Amino acid sequence: MAALRDLLRPWRQPRTWWALTHLLLWGPASTVTFVVIFTLLVTSVALLITFPLAIPVMWALFVAARILGTVERSRYEALLGERIADPVPPLQRPSWWG
């Protein structure tokens, strides 16, 4: 009986269920990320012929990548308890010319 209890011990811990939730959310989250980034990337490359039209799409690509990266880091922290630091340092002088 003790061997069975030891075998099932991980399933009684909350960390196991949070990790399983993280694993199950990985598929939908990665699908959404791929679709958004790939669509914006292909559109910006296709619009390179008319460069002024490609600039806003490229800007949207970078903004979407930044937002999706923040969402992924917050998902890791919320479900796994692992804090991943932001790879982009904050601006020293937050202004348009800084």
Side-chain angles (χ1 to χ4, degrees), residues 7-59:
L7 182 65
L8 296 176
R9 180 175 297 145
W11 292 102
R12 292 188 309 236
Q13 296 175 355
R15 183 161 173 83
T16 301
W17 292 102
W18 287 116
L20 183 62
T21 303
H22 181 267
L23 185 65
L24 291 175
L25 286 176
W26 176 79
S30 61
T31 302
V32 168
T33 301
F34 174 77
V35 168
V36 169
I37 298 299
F38 187 73
T39 302
L40 287 171
L41 181 65
V42 168
T43 305
S44 65
V45 168
L47 286 174
L48 279 178
I49 302 169
T50 57
F51 187 71
L53 295 176
I55 292 173
V57 179
M58 286 182 197
W59 178 79

Side-chain angles (χ1 to χ4, degrees), residues 66 86 88-98:
R66 182 99 170 115
D86 192 0
V88 179
L91 294 175
Q92 298 300 322
R93 296 184 324 179
S95 68
W96 285 99
W97 302 105

Side-chain angles (χ1 to χ4, degrees), residues 69-70 72-77 80-87:
T70 302
E72 284 298 307
R73 284 191 302 275
S74 67
R75 186 170 67 97
Y76 267 81
E77 187 173 359
L80 299 178
E82 297 290 328
R83 175 135 174 84
I84 301 174
D86 192 0

